[in-house]
Amino acid sequence: MTEAEPAQLTPQRLFEMMAGFKATAVLRAGVELGVFGALADGPAHAVEVADRLAADERGTRLLLGALAALRLLDERDGRYGLGAGVAELLVPTSPAYCGGITAVAASTGEWEALGRLASTVREGTPVPGVDALRPDFPYWADFATHTTFGTLRAADLLADVLEPWAAGRPGPKVLDVGCGHGLSGYVLARRLPQAVIHSQDWPSVLEVAEGHAERLGVRDRVKLLPGDAFEVPLDGPYDVIVVGNLLFHFPPERAAELVRRLAGALKPDGRLVVLGFTTGDQPPAEEPHAHLLGLLMLSWTAGGEMHSTGAHRAMLGAAGLTETELTARPGLPLRILVASRPGTS
């Protein structure tokens, strides 16, 4: 088979797709119950682990067996220990701990929404009672708390793109719209000691972002703007405005309205940056995460969908911005589009 040929669907691959949710469920349970931390000091029998977790012995024994079947644990003579790489990634005290990401990548909200995907597609409307744009939508605080595998890589790429230009501006003022964890702005602030970051999001999310700013040592240069991105006073003008993974929550006309609003808050020669996932730039098999995210927007929003780079360019151009430059990095499924406001600062 050449690289251009599609992968052949086999019964084994089909079954793995059908049963994949079971492995997710087992991993989630192991993380939520604290199994990996309970085994951090060495192998133990199921009854010992159950005692440490204050859990049922039979249930614990069956879960440990399933975790061993997934090679997250090793079983020898009835004693269970951590599998290869597990101590680094799934023991909470490890500096490289990733278990918290299950709250985002395998969130309860996504689990429930995608469990009724056929009905959502048939009806074309969000899951009843669900609105991802609500201020108290719990997913966003989890998303801000548990950064994903690509979060810091994306923040570093954004800083790489902006630093050479922004370094020449005295005290650059940066607005991060729908900031979530806030790291896009805070990593840039560490590169630019004179920069001031204005983080905009819902109050519950900004509480989490504030903690990240403290941890990175930039809290004294961060201002918080709680509220709706369409309504909150923007406190501009800004040298840089970043819109990260936000526009796809809205239909094209609504996303374009937000871009126009933000463009009006830029200084002359300022930069508006759209950072996030896109569809339509490559074949679907080359951008799977974006297409799956699009289904989540179908399930969680009234009209949200993924936009292409071409659509983003059109929004930026309609807002009077020019000189759009696209940046992507191999292995990172995000794109950065930078547009300029005409004029001289």
Side-chain angles (χ1 to χ4, degrees):
M1 184 181 73
T2 67
E3 290 186 3
E5 294 175 341
Q8 176 70 32
L9 180 63
T10 63
Q12 177 64 24
R13 179 167 166 248
L14 185 59
F15 179 76
E16 290 172 354
M17 294 172 67
M18 292 176 176
F21 77 98
K22 297 177 184 178
T24 302
V26 171
L27 172 60
R28 274 182 40 156
V31 170
E32 290 176 16
L33 290 169
V35 170
F36 306 108
L39 292 170
D41 293 332
H45 288 92
V47 65
E48 298 173 89
V49 178
D51 184 62
R52 294 170 188 174
L53 302 179
D56 177 72
E57 187 276 330
R58 173 173 170 267
T60 301
R61 173 168 47 81
L62 294 176
L63 177 61
L64 294 177
L67 288 166
L70 294 177
R71 300 186 180 182
L72 294 172
L73 299 181
D74 291 326
E75 186 276 327
R76 296 184 184 182
D77 300 323
R79 302 177 80 227
Y80 294 88
L82 301 178
V86 171
E88 179 185 11
L89 298 179
L90 290 176
V91 171
T93 54
S94 167
Y97 176 66
C98 296
I101 298 175
T102 57
V104 177
S107 73
T108 300
E110 291 191 36
W111 187 280
E112 294 173 350
L114 296 181
R116 52 158 294 152
L117 182 59
S119 296
T120 301
V121 170
R122 185 180 299 114
E123 298 162 7
T125 55
V127 174
V130 174
D131 179 6
L133 302 181
R134 234 176 39 219
D136 59 346
F137 192 63
Y139 178 86
W140 300 126
D142 286 340
F143 178 83
T145 302
H146 305 289
T147 55
T148 61
F149 298 104
T151 299
L152 283 176
R153 293 178 60 205
D156 281 330
L157 177 58
L158 178 66
D160 289 344
V161 170
L162 290 176
E163 183 180 10
W165 173 81
R169 296 173 78 92
K173 186 176 178 180
V174 180
L175 171 63
D176 188 359
V177 182
C179 70
H181 43 66
L183 294 174
S184 296
Y186 307 154
V187 169
L188 183 62
R190 295 186 75 180
R191 301 268 195 102
L192 302 170
Q194 304 304 316
V196 175
I197 310 299
H198 294 242
S199 299
Q200 180 278 321
D201 215 310
W202 299 121
S204 61
V205 176
L206 290 179
E207 288 181 14
V208 180
E210 187 175 14
H212 291 310
E214 292 276 6
R215 180 173 54 82
L216 291 180
V218 298
R219 180 62 187 89
D220 61 323
R221 291 186 285 125
V222 172
K223 297 185 178 181
L224 305 179
L225 295 180
D228 188 321
F230 287 87
E231 299 175 359
V232 65
L234 293 180
D235 193 24
Y238 293 94
D239 297 273
V240 176
I241 298 178
V242 178
V243 189
N245 281 324
L246 179 64
L247 295 180
F248 56 68
H249 292 80
F250 312 105
E253 61 277 9
R254 183 70 165 156
E257 178 186 343
L258 180 57
V259 170
R260 288 194 299 272
R261 180 173 199 248
L262 299 176
L266 278 175
K267 294 179 182 180
D269 193 38
R271 300 293 191 265
L272 198 155
V273 183
V274 177
L275 179 155
F277 297 95
T278 63
T279 55
D281 298 295
Q282 302 179 77
E286 299 299 320
E287 42 190 28
H289 186 85
H291 284 273
L292 295 174
L293 189 54
L295 289 176
L296 195 59
M297 293 301 100
L298 174 69
S299 300
W300 278 1
T301 70
E305 60 179 273
M306 308 306 292
H307 309 298
S308 67
T309 297
H312 286 148
R313 287 186 187 275
M315 294 178 198
L316 294 165
L321 304 179
T322 61
E323 301 176 12
T324 55
E325 298 180 6
L326 178 66
T327 301
R329 180 166 287 172
L332 188 64
L334 296 164
R335 294 170 179 271
I336 294 178
L337 197 61
V338 180
S340 305
R341 179 176 179 178
T344 303
S345 177

